[in-house]
């Protein structure tokens, strides 16, 4: 029950404020720590430095061009790797803002693997990322149509093919063993990459990303956007251990 007026020297995580007396939980969900003790209600001046400030406010980064979007993604993944995420656009207010429509700045063709949550890997939020997920991050008619919608209609400036280390679909294609149901239908689009990998799984995964990028570039809609400078198609591989995404094309 401290009532001191001590000046705060805050350090902030999730909008938490620290001075030397104890802990106070604010109505906004922020935590304030100073030395007065638990449940302190003092009127000490708050001068927070913000670590996860973007839990509450949208990103102000430039996403109006492919180059700007790629910079945002690179910075977001760097934060994710360091464990210093901002978690932007993940509030109930953001959900309400998106009720009438969406305008994602990037579209992804990602593997369906549950260990590759695209929004989290790049530290983005609701409405930022348009994602198509399929085992092996392969291109087919349905994914092309979806990604044409995400770019030509919704306005995404970057189309990103995202593979990942230890990909089961690529590994299974290389092994060529019998599998149940129609799982083997995935092999057709992955085999071209495996043929040039000489049995190296990591190389096959990288080659698969590059091959799928080439397949997407065949679309007249996507190619037209690229030629006009409105879209860039790139590829990367996500490392399941480190969390880092490495651009490969």
């Amino acid at each position: 029950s401290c009532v001191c007026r001590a000046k705060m020297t805050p350090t902030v995580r999730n909008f938490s404020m620290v001075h030397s007396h104890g802990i106070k939980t604010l109505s906004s969900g922020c935590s304030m720590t100073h030395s007065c003790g638990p449940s302190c209600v003092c009127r000490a001046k708050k001068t927070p430095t913000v670590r996860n400030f973007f839990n509450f406010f949208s990103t102000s980064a430039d996403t109006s061009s492919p180059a700007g979007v790629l910079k945002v993604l690179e910075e977001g993944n760097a934060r994710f790797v360091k464990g210093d995420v901002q978690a932007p656009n993940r509030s109930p207010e953001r959900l309400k803002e998106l009720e009438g429509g969406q305008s994602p700045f990037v579209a992804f063709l990602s593997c369906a693997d549950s260990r590759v949550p695209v929004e989290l890997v790049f530290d983005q939020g609701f409405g930022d990322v348009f994602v198509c997920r399929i085992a092996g991050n392969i291109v087919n008619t349905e994914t092309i149509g979806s990604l044409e919608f995400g770019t030509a209609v919704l306005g995404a400036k970057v189309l990103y093919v995202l593979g990942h280390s230890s990909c089961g679909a690529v590994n299974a294609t290389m092994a060529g063993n019998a599998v149940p149901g129609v799982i083997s239908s995935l092999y057709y689009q992955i085999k071209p990459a495996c043929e040039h990998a000489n049995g190296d799984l990591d190389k096959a995964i990288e080659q698969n990303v590059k091959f799928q990028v080439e397949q997407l570039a065949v679309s007249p809609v996507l190619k037209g956007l690229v030629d006009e400078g409105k879209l860039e198609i790139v590829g990367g591989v996500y490392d399941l251990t480190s969390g880092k995404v490495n651009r490969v094309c």
Side-chain angles (χ1 to χ4, degrees):
S1 301
C2 168
V3 292
C4 78
R5 297 174 182 270
K7 183 177 181 181
M8 293 183 183
T9 306
T11 61
V12 180
R13 179 172 185 175
N14 288 323
F15 224 0
S16 63
M17 291 168 286
V18 181
H19 77 16
S20 61
H21 297 320
I23 299 175
K24 166 71 175 177
T25 300
L26 306 181
S27 59
S28 64
C30 310
S31 61
M32 177 176 66
T33 304
H34 63 69
S35 66
C36 299
S39 303
C40 169
V41 292
C42 76
R43 298 171 181 267
K45 183 178 180 182
K46 307 177 186 71
T47 312
T49 60
V50 179
R51 179 177 179 180
N52 284 327
F53 187 79
F54 288 99
N55 277 321
F56 308 96
F57 299 96
S58 299
T59 179
S60 59
D62 177 22
T63 56
S64 62
S65 68
V69 170
L70 288 171
K71 185 173 186 295
V72 168
L73 295 175
E74 182 181 350
E75 292 174 347
N77 181 241
R79 293 193 300 271
F80 176 75
V81 171
K82 293 177 183 177
D84 192 22
V85 297
Q86 294 177 346
N89 294 331
R90 299 185 196 172
S91 66
E93 290 74 19
R94 175 62 170 173
L95 290 177
K96 294 176 183 177
E97 291 174 4
L98 296 170
E99 185 177 3
Q102 59 175 320
S103 55
F105 54 79
V106 58
F108 274 89
L109 173 57
S110 173
C111 185
D113 195 297
S114 63
R115 299 167 292 178
V116 190
V118 176
E119 289 89 346
L120 301 185
V121 167
F122 289 94
D123 194 21
Q124 302 303 316
F126 300 129
D128 296 331
V129 182
F130 184 88
V131 185
C132 289
R133 300 183 67 172
I134 184 171
N137 41 273
I138 62 172
V139 172
N140 58 25
T141 301
E142 290 75 19
T143 55
I144 290 176
S146 297
L147 294 167
E148 287 176 344
F149 176 74
T151 54
V153 178
L154 297 181
K157 303 297 188 299
V158 167
L159 176 46
Y160 207 123
V161 178
L162 184 65
H164 66 91
S165 60
S166 303
C167 180
V170 176
N171 190 41
T173 301
M174 293 177 69
N177 296 328
V179 290
V182 295
I183 297 175
S184 61
S185 64
L186 299 167
Y187 295 175
Y188 176 77
Q189 288 288 355
I190 301 175
K191 279 183 178 179
C194 298
E195 291 172 355
H196 303 287
N198 297 318
D200 186 325
L201 178 58
D202 290 337
K203 185 176 180 180
I205 290 168
E206 180 177 329
Q207 289 299 316
N208 183 50
V209 168
K210 293 178 179 179
F211 178 70
Q212 305 308 328
V213 167
E214 292 173 358
Q215 296 299 102
L216 287 172
V218 174
S219 160
V221 173
L222 299 177
K223 184 178 184 302
L225 292 172
V226 171
D227 291 343
E228 294 173 11
K230 296 179 180 179
L231 177 70
E232 187 167 348
I233 305 177
V234 302
V237 175
Y238 170 67
D239 187 279
L240 293 178
T241 302
S242 69
K244 181 176 175 55
V245 174
N246 296 298
R247 279 276 302 276
V248 297
C249 62

